[in-house]
Amino acid sequence: MESPRDILKRHGLRPKHSWGQNFLGDADALQSIADALELRAGEPVVELGPGLGHLTRFLAATGAQVTAVERDRDMVAVLEKEAIPGVRVVSGNAATVDFAQVAGVPEIALVGNLPYHLTSSILFQVLAQRAHISRAVFTLQKEVVVRLAAEPGNRDYGLLTVLLGLHFDVEEVLTLEAWRFHPPPKVDSAVVRLTRLASPRAPLVDEARFTRLVKAGFAQRRKTLINSLKSDKGLAKPDVLLAALQTAGVDPGRRAETLSPAEFAAIERALGPVTAMAPPPPDAPEPDSDPDADDAS
């Protein structure tokens, strides 16, 4: 298999650091990623950020129908020139694209080596579009995968852990050391598999309110749950929040990182019917990565 360095040289290109381009050309790792997706012949799969097409070739070798979504025009040109059999190349932004629509089918499998700086945006898109995604396999910064797969009570447990955990089984598949990429990033990566559940782990009254509740819970991690929730003054009045915690059987003195997705869902249900809520406070999103770390793509 031709290395990323050689393909770039053949096309007169260099990795774009500002785009988070770190290309994976390790055949064993690429095969493991393709295997983790468990594709069937003829099954539609959307690859986000295919880059030079290394993983794309392994996906196509399964007989799946591959739609490769790439926003870098140089990479689109490379993929079109490489003309990998069974692959359709689409120019688009992975953070905004409608995954199933771009493939022209109602449900897809999803895979990609995601730029670190777009990780949260894409994962929130996965949540929003989950009805059309049977499963997803992503290469992410190692510490992000650890966070997504964390259990309640772990310091790595956070907002996306809960939101994804309500709707998906989340599993770390393997670690990818930095040296496997060209150019190597400053941190290791890992592969995570998300498998959509047949139904959420717990019912909700309103998905948007659940998301807002969890965001409020983690907005001030060092505070008790009741004090964190009260920081979003538009969520509910303090006495209503306290009553909801009591109804859900959740100690208001606990911290958000100790609650399971089902416990957060119980609090959301206990808030009762949805009424008009004031706009939420500005987001303070969890960091995807060390600000000094290189991006990968």
Side-chain angles (χ1 to χ4, degrees):
M1 183 176 66
E2 195 173 7
S3 71
R5 186 189 302 272
D6 289 342
I7 295 178
L8 287 166
K9 184 177 181 180
R10 179 158 53 82
H11 289 276
L13 298 171
R14 292 185 179 184
K16 296 182 177 71
H17 178 76
S18 62
W19 286 62
Q21 291 181 342
N22 301 82
F23 301 101
L24 180 62
D26 183 282
D28 290 340
L30 292 165
Q31 185 64 63
S32 294
I33 294 169
D35 289 345
L37 205 51
E38 299 179 345
L39 291 168
R40 302 179 298 275
E43 183 178 11
V45 57
V46 173
E47 183 186 5
L48 305 178
L52 300 169
H54 285 86
L55 178 59
T56 316
R57 288 175 169 82
F58 283 83
L59 300 174
T62 67
Q65 299 176 9
V66 183
T67 300
V69 180
E70 176 60 61
R71 65 173 180 150
D72 184 345
R73 292 181 182 179
D74 289 334
M75 294 299 107
V76 170
V78 169
L79 292 165
E80 289 176 343
K81 290 176 182 176
E82 296 294 310
I84 305 169
V87 175
R88 184 170 66 95
V89 180
V90 175
S91 179
N93 187 338
T96 59
V97 72
D98 184 315
F99 305 129
Q101 185 179 71
V102 79
V105 294
E107 185 175 81
I108 51 97
L110 191 62
V111 65
N113 179 10
L114 305 188
Y116 292 161
H117 62 287
L118 294 179
T119 295
S120 283
S121 297
I122 293 172
L123 290 176
F124 276 111
Q125 283 294 320
V126 169
L127 280 165
Q129 300 182 42
R130 65 182 180 275
H132 305 287
I133 301 168
S134 62
R135 60 202 184 281
V137 172
F138 293 133
T139 300
L140 308 172
Q141 184 176 344
K142 170 71 174 178
E143 70 174 63
V144 176
V145 172
V146 168
R147 187 182 306 155
L148 296 181
E151 296 290 334
N154 189 302
R155 62 182 297 273
D156 294 310
Y157 189 79
L159 170 64
L160 275 168
T161 323
V162 174
L163 298 182
L164 287 168
L166 186 71
H167 299 289
F168 292 89
D169 279 330
V170 181
E171 175 188 5
E172 181 177 346
V173 177
L174 75 156
T175 295
L176 297 175
E177 300 83 358
W179 61 263
R180 296 180 185 272
F181 296 84
H182 172 73
K186 294 179 181 177
V187 295
D188 289 341
S189 299
V191 177
V192 65
R193 177 168 52 211
L194 310 177
T195 305
R196 191 187 68 211
L197 301 172
S199 58
R201 295 187 192 279
L204 300 174
V205 174
D206 184 80
E207 183 87 28
R209 186 172 64 179
F210 173 76
T211 300
R212 183 165 174 173
L213 176 76
V214 179
K215 283 184 177 181
F218 284 101
Q220 303 182 58
R221 295 177 66 107
R222 292 183 178 85
K223 290 190 173 183
T224 61
L225 183 62
I226 184 61
N227 285 332
S228 293
L229 295 180
K230 286 194 295 186
S231 67
D232 182 349
K233 300 185 185 305
L235 183 61
K237 293 181 179 180
D239 61 326
V240 175
L241 289 170
L242 185 60
L245 289 169
Q246 293 170 340
T247 299
V250 175
D251 183 347
R254 289 171 63 182
R255 286 177 169 78
E257 65 191 39
T258 70
L259 272 67
S260 68
E263 287 178 304
F264 272 110
I267 298 169
E268 191 277 329
R269 292 195 305 274
L271 287 171
V274 177
T275 57
M277 294 186 291
D283 279 343
E286 293 187 337
D288 285 331
S289 60
D290 183 332
D292 296 324
D294 278 347
D295 292 332
S297 176

